[in-house]
Amino acid sequence: MRSLSKPFALILALTAIFASLAAPALAQSQQAGGRVVLVLPFDNRSGNPSLNWVGDSFPDTLSKRLTSAGFLTISHDDRLFAFDHLGLPAGFKPSRATTIKIAQQLDANYVIVGSYNIANDQISIQARVLSVDALSLTAPIEDGAPLNRLFDAENAIAWKVARNIDPHFNVAEGTFIAAPGAVPLSAFENYIRGTNAPAADERIKRLQAAVAIVPDYAAALLALGKEQYTVRNFPAAAATLAKVPHSDRLALEANFYLGLAHFNSANYAAAEQAFAFVATRLPLPEVVNDQAVALSRQGKDGAAFFQRASTADPSDEDYHYNLAIALFRRGDTAGALKEADAALKLKPNDNEAGSLRAHLSLVPAGTKLTDSATNSFSPVERIRRNYSEAGLRQAAFQLDQMRAARMATLPPAQQATEYTQLGRDYLAQGLLPEAEGEFQSALTADPNSAAAHVGLAQVREASGNAAEARDEARKSLKIQPSATAYLVLARLDLADNLLAGCADDVSRALSLEPSNTAAQALRQNLQQRGQSIP
C-alpha cells in the first residue's frame, strides 16, 4: 500500500497525545468504520465521445461534496499514482477486481463507480458504492436533471452516496444541491477538460477559457496558476493565484504556489506573506520552512521558523541543513555544527551539508556566516517546492477527528456552543453542507440550543427551504429571542411581500440589537416602500 504522507504521519502522532483525553469517543469513531473514499470517472453510455469530459467531472464534484460530508476523499493525483503504480494508463476502465486493487493501493474503504447517459439535453446517472472492506457492491443509486444542471445532479448523487455509506448522515439533500461552486456548463466543461488534458498548452488554453467565462472561478484559477507555474511563467502564475479569495478553501494551496511564484521572481517579501498566510492556518513543516527561506532572502533571521519545521519533522535533512545555516548567520557555530551533523546523519551523501560541516569545523567559535572570514563560502537555505494537497486534506481530516473526539468529552451545552461557532464560521464562508453538519451536531448534543436552531434556519434560508427556515427560526425564538432569528423571519416575510409581518420582525430585532446593521437596512427598505415600523 502507498505509504502515508509526512503531514498525515505527523497528525497521527498528534492524535496519540489526545487519545488519553478522548479515548472512549475516539474508539467509538474508529469502530464506525473507515471513511476514505475513492471516486473513479463515470462511464459514458451516450455513445458520444465528445461527452467523455462529463465522466471526468464526477470525481471532482463528488470528492468535494463528500469531503464536506466528513469523508476523506482521494485526490486526482493520487488516483493517477495508483494507476501508474499498477501499470495502467490514465484513461483505463478498470474491472471490479482491478478497482479493488486500486482501492487497496490507496487504502480506500469505499470506491464510487458509475455511468451516465445523455439524451435530449437530459443526463441520467447511476452510481454504485463498492465497499472494499466488505467486498460488496450496492444497488444502483440514481438521479438525473437537465444537462445544464449537471452540478446539481452530481451534488444530489453525492448526497445519496453519503447517506448510503453513513445512514446517520443528517445534512439535507437541498443543502447539498445549494452548495456553492456551480458555474455555467461551458465554464465547467473547460475546467474539467483543462485539468485532464494531456498537454500543458491545451490545459492552459482550456483553463483560461473557463476563467474568461467566470473570472472568480476559484478552482479554475488555482489549476491555471499551477500550470503557469509549472511552465515557469512566474509573473502570470502570481497574478492568477492572487485572485483566489482568502476565504475560499483552495486559498491554502493557491497561496503556497503564489509564494513559490513570487520567490522565483525574487519578490521575497510577497513570498513570505503568501507562505505566512498558509502557515497561520495549517503550519505544516514545509510551509513554515519556506516562510523562513523567504525571510532569509530578505536578510532577516529565520532561525525560529527553521527550528519549528525541524521540530515538527526531525526526519527531514533539509530542515536541519537550513537551521544550521540560520544559526551560522547568528554566530551560533556550535548549534550550527550540531544541525549539520544531524543533516548528514540522515543523508550522509549530502555534499552541501558536508561542505557546511567542514567549514564550520574550521572557523572560530562565534563566527558569523556574514563575517569577512566566510566571504568565499555562501550556502543558501533550501526551499521546498512540493505541496501535498492530499497531505493537507489528510491533516485537516485528522484534526477534525481529533476535535470531535475532544468535544465528545465536554458537557452537552459546551459541545453545542463549540459546534455552533464552527457552524457560523462555515456559514460565513458560504459552506452550507459543512455549516449544517455542525449545527446538527450541536442539536444532537443539546436540542434546546437556540443558537444552533437559528443557524440551521439560516442554512435552510440559504438553500431555498423557506418553510423549514421559518420552523427553525421559531424554535429558536421559543427558547431564546434573538435578532438573528427575527431577521430570518423578516427576510422570508419580505420575500413573500408580507410587509406588515416583516416590519414587526424588524422592530423586534432592533429592540434586541438597536445597532444591528442588517435590521437597519431592512427598516430602510420597508420605509421606502411606505411601510411603517412598529
Side-chain angles (χ1 to χ4, degrees):
M1 293 184 183
R2 188 175 189 182
S3 60
L4 297 174
S5 68
K6 285 185 177 180
F8 194 25
L10 290 169
I11 296 298
L12 286 177
L14 289 174
T15 304
I17 298 173
F18 284 86
S20 61
L21 301 176
L26 199 57
Q28 184 179 3
S29 173
Q30 291 168 342
Q31 290 168 4
R35 296 178 69 86
V36 182
V37 180
L38 168 65
V39 184
L40 291 177
F42 281 24
D43 293 333
N44 179 5
R45 301 286 174 82
S46 72
N48 183 351
S50 69
L51 295 172
N52 285 344
W53 72 269
V54 175
D56 292 330
S57 75
F58 282 91
D60 185 84
T61 304
L62 268 63
S63 292
K64 288 175 182 175
R65 202 56 61 228
L66 290 171
T67 296
S68 74
F71 295 94
L72 177 59
T73 57
I74 292 171
S75 71
H76 175 272
D77 289 345
D78 279 349
R79 172 162 53 87
L80 294 184
F81 166 87
F83 273 57
D84 182 67
H85 192 74
L86 294 171
L88 305 173
F92 179 74
K93 302 299 182 184
S95 65
R96 182 174 175 181
T98 306
T99 297
I100 292 172
K101 287 183 181 179
I102 295 169
Q104 291 172 336
Q105 182 74 31
L106 294 166
D107 294 326
N109 304 108
Y110 300 95
V111 183
I112 314 304
V113 296
S115 62
Y116 61 96
N117 193 13
I118 297 174
N120 300 319
D121 289 328
Q122 294 279 328
I123 182 169
S124 56
I125 305 167
Q126 280 195 349
R128 305 181 83 175
V129 180
L130 170 64
S131 171
V132 180
D133 302 326
L135 294 178
S136 62
L137 191 66
T138 67
I141 299 168
E142 300 181 339
D143 213 295
L147 185 56
N148 61 6
R149 291 183 51 233
L150 172 63
F151 188 76
D152 290 347
E154 291 183 339
N155 280 339
I157 283 288
W159 181 81
K160 291 177 180 179
V161 166
R163 285 293 299 269
N164 184 281
I165 297 175
D166 180 4
H168 301 292
F169 181 64
N170 56 4
V171 173
E173 182 178 7
T175 305
F176 256 46
I177 294 175
V183 295
L185 191 65
S186 56
F188 190 42
E189 177 180 355
N190 276 301
Y191 165 67
I192 294 298
R193 288 185 182 277
T195 54
N196 288 279
D201 57 346
E202 177 67 14
R203 291 195 293 270
I204 289 175
K205 179 182 176 181
R206 286 286 187 179
L207 293 168
Q208 286 175 331
V211 171
I213 298 167
V214 183
D216 60 351
Y217 192 173
L221 287 168
L222 172 60
L224 174 59
K226 288 170 64 175
E227 286 297 329
Q228 291 167 330
Y229 172 80
T230 300
V231 300
R232 304 185 67 80
N233 188 348
F234 301 124
T240 299
L241 294 165
K243 295 176 183 177
V244 178
H246 278 190
S247 59
D248 195 282
R249 279 191 160 183
L250 299 177
L252 294 179
E253 186 173 4
N255 274 267
F256 184 83
Y257 283 101
L258 176 61
L260 289 177
H262 283 313
F263 186 88
N264 282 280
S265 299
N267 188 348
Y268 301 124
E272 177 202 344
Q273 185 177 10
F275 291 133
F277 170 79
V278 183
T280 55
R281 286 152 181 81
L282 199 56
L284 298 177
E286 56 262 46
V287 181
V288 175
N289 175 81
D290 287 3
Q291 182 184 359
V293 174
L295 277 168
S296 299
R297 292 292 196 278
Q298 299 173 69
K300 300 177 181 178
D301 185 0
F305 291 98
F306 287 128
Q307 182 66 69
R308 282 176 56 192
S310 181
T311 300
D313 186 4
S315 65
D316 193 301
E317 71 278 359
D318 284 349
Y319 303 149
H320 290 288
Y321 175 77
N322 287 348
L323 179 55
I325 295 175
L327 293 175
F328 193 5
R329 294 188 195 282
R330 280 183 172 181
D332 182 1
T333 49
L337 191 60
K338 177 183 176 182
E339 293 299 327
D341 284 337
L344 286 167
K345 184 176 181 180
L346 291 166
K347 188 177 179 182
N349 62 345
D350 188 329
N351 293 330
E352 291 178 329
S355 297
L356 176 60
R357 202 249 179 252
H359 197 85
L360 284 164
S361 65
L362 296 175
V363 299
T367 300
K368 294 184 178 181
L369 183 57
T370 54
D371 290 345
S372 58
T374 64
N375 282 345
S376 61
F377 185 68
S378 55
V380 292
E381 295 86 350
R382 299 167 178 168
I383 196 162
R384 301 302 291 269
R385 302 180 187 277
N386 59 310
Y387 176 94
S388 172
E389 179 201 357
L392 269 175
R393 288 187 296 107
Q394 288 170 337
F397 180 80
Q398 287 297 314
L399 287 171
D400 285 343
Q401 298 295 302
M402 290 162 56
R403 183 202 68 199
R406 178 189 66 81
M407 289 173 66
T409 67
L410 301 175
Q414 190 175 348
Q415 287 185 47
T417 298
E418 294 200 22
Y419 277 123
T420 298
Q421 184 55 57
L422 289 166
R424 287 171 177 160
D425 292 342
Y426 283 131
L427 193 59
Q429 299 173 59
L431 301 174
L432 299 184
E434 292 88 339
E436 178 171 341
E438 301 299 344
F439 292 135
Q440 295 283 16
S441 295
L443 291 171
T444 299
D446 180 7
N448 291 317
S449 170
H453 278 296
V454 76
L456 195 52
Q458 290 173 292
V459 171
R460 295 285 180 263
E461 179 190 7
S463 62
N465 191 333
E468 290 191 14
R470 285 185 185 277
D471 184 55
E472 291 295 336
R474 287 167 180 160
K475 286 179 182 178
S476 177
L477 289 170
K478 285 182 180 180
I479 299 167
Q480 181 180 346
S482 70
T484 304
Y486 279 120
L487 287 172
V488 170
L489 294 175
R491 288 190 295 268
L492 294 171
D493 284 343
L494 186 63
D496 290 339
N497 203 33
L498 301 173
L499 300 188
C502 179
D504 184 61
D505 296 328
V506 170
S507 177
R508 292 174 185 271
L510 287 169
S511 69
L512 293 171
E513 293 182 18
S515 60
N516 188 297
T517 55
Q520 291 172 349
L522 278 172
R523 178 176 61 185
Q524 184 178 3
N525 186 325
L526 288 167
Q527 289 172 339
Q528 290 172 348
R529 297 185 182 205
Q531 176 64 48
S532 61
I533 310 296

